[in-house]
Amino acid sequence: IIEMQSSSIRDVLTEDSKLVVADAIKFLPLAIQLNDFDRVGFFLRRLINVTKTPKEIVCEEDSKRLILLLFNWVVSQHLNIPLALQSKCFIVLFKLLFHKNLDLELSWNALFDLLKHYHITPRAFSSHPMTMKSHADDLARLIVRSRRYFSASAVTEILSVFRSNLDPFSDPQIHLNEYFLCHFLPTYQQHHKEQISTWLNDIIQRLDWVPQNKLISTWIFALLSRTSKEAIGFIDLTPHLPKIFNAFLQSLNLEIKGKKNPIDGQSKKPYWIQNVVRENHMAKLVVWCLGTSSSQLTLQLLAQLFNTIQTYYHPSNTGKWTNPLGTLLQQLSAIFVKRHTKEKHGRYSHPASLNIQVDDPTFVSCLQPLTMQALYSKSYSM
């Protein structure tokens, strides 16, 4: 009886949601043309609720129509649109972009102009800080979801804009430029993957001469982990893995004999940059190298890394390193299980030959000793 009632309620909600979408497609363009912000906000609030329901409610054509309408409106008229209404528009766009194969093209320049106008210029401090933080978070999430729809020329344009501003001796805002470069570079579509070779070596080389800036290395790890997942089978990280593992070990800033590691550079992070955990991205990079041509070397370097930091997992050895080292173990196992589960059910588009080989116990044997040791840690964060 409960199942029948739940099914009937879902049917009613589905029909109501379809009517909401139909009304939005019919009346939202007129409300936008008249600059009726109250009416636009009304439709956006309803669409936010609708897009929480199953994907079948909004077809690809309707999604594309609404995306282009809202994107072009907020980009061209953002100076006249209240920040709260912009945030609602970003949320709706983020939810509508769940279709991964829409035939559309979004401008990265327009998104960067929004970010630059509201969160880099002095205007960023002219409004309530919580409002600006919410606006920045919604915009950053939209940028992440929009990357797959950047044009084929976007990679060249992004590199030409930010590459020249990555010299720490000439630009004091180098960490911002690094964030922009790593945050906007697309790696999803076929034409994006084919251009990875044009910037991969430069990004890897930056791990050599900026190891002391942990914020910059964090953005690089984020970009490399995303690339290893979205471009699996298209790139070979084998020549770069030793340098990546070495940079990660240095960025942990582990204390030696009661003294800090001499490499301890810091950069103050702007409020509008989302929290990025370096250990999460390193774990993601390691797991997504498994099953590829660099799998064997990855496991060897992972075993060497754990052998090097083994003493920091001792139950009596606690400090500021305890939380990141515990996070590394937790994320390695969580991402491994998540990837294997989705591959088992065919939820990834890469060939089956690149799937994780669960018959090989090497990965588990790397994690098991430290995990059993960390269980008895005196620190709750471990």
Side-chain angles (χ1 to χ4, degrees), residues 108-242:
W108 77 272
N109 279 301
L111 293 172
F112 176 65
D113 290 340
L114 284 173
L115 182 62
K116 181 170 61 175
H117 179 79
Y118 288 101
H119 303 291
I120 302 177
T121 62
R123 179 191 175 98
F125 305 96
S126 62
S127 184
H128 194 277
M130 292 302 296
T131 302
M132 299 302 294
K133 183 67 170 63
S134 176
H135 184 274
D137 290 343
D138 295 331
L139 179 56
R141 292 171 66 235
L142 176 61
I143 292 172
V144 170
R145 187 63 67 88
S146 302
R147 275 196 302 248
R148 67 178 74 243
Y149 298 109
F150 289 170
S151 64
S153 61
V155 174
T156 305
E157 295 172 1
I158 292 171
L159 291 174
S160 63
V161 171
F162 299 119
R163 211 178 221 166
S164 59
N165 298 324
L166 296 179
D167 183 2
F169 302 104
S170 62
D171 194 341
Q173 299 296 319
I174 179 177
H175 60 285
L176 298 182
N177 296 320
E178 191 80 39
Y179 169 78
F180 295 143
L181 179 64
C182 296
H183 197 59
F184 279 93
L185 269 178
T187 56
Y188 184 82
Q189 299 291 356
Q190 177 71 27
H191 50 259
H192 297 152
K193 297 174 184 177
E194 294 171 352
Q195 300 181 69
I196 290 177
S197 58
T198 62
W199 53 261
L200 181 61
N201 289 333
D202 290 347
I203 291 295
I204 295 295
Q205 288 175 5
R206 292 184 53 72
L207 291 174
D208 279 339
W209 54 276
V210 203
Q212 70 276 15
N213 192 314
K214 289 191 283 187
L215 187 58
I216 289 180
S217 65
T218 299
W219 308 139
I220 295 178
F221 284 125
L223 175 60
L224 292 177
S225 66
R226 170 162 59 89
T227 304
S228 66
K229 177 182 178 180
E230 296 182 349
I232 183 172
F234 283 83
I235 60 169
D236 183 13
L237 290 176
T238 303
H240 310 297
L241 284 176

Side-chain angles (χ1 to χ4, degrees), residues 251-295:
S251 68
L252 289 174
N253 191 33
L254 299 174
E255 295 185 4
I256 304 174
K257 292 184 179 180
K259 296 183 180 180
K260 292 183 178 181
N261 190 317
I263 300 177
D264 190 25
Q266 293 284 352
S267 293
K268 186 177 180 182
K269 183 173 66 175
Y271 76 95
W272 47 269
I273 293 182
Q274 291 183 317
N275 290 327
V276 178
V277 182
R278 177 182 56 251
E279 294 77 29
N280 291 5
H281 292 289
M282 186 61 189
K284 182 178 178 181
L285 187 148
V286 169
V287 171
W288 280 96
C289 282
L290 302 180
T292 65
S293 57
S294 56
S295 178

Side-chain angles (χ1 to χ4, degrees), residues 22-34:
D23 289 343
I25 293 174
K26 183 177 181 181
F27 298 109
L28 190 56
L30 180 59
I32 289 177
Q33 185 178 358
L34 298 175

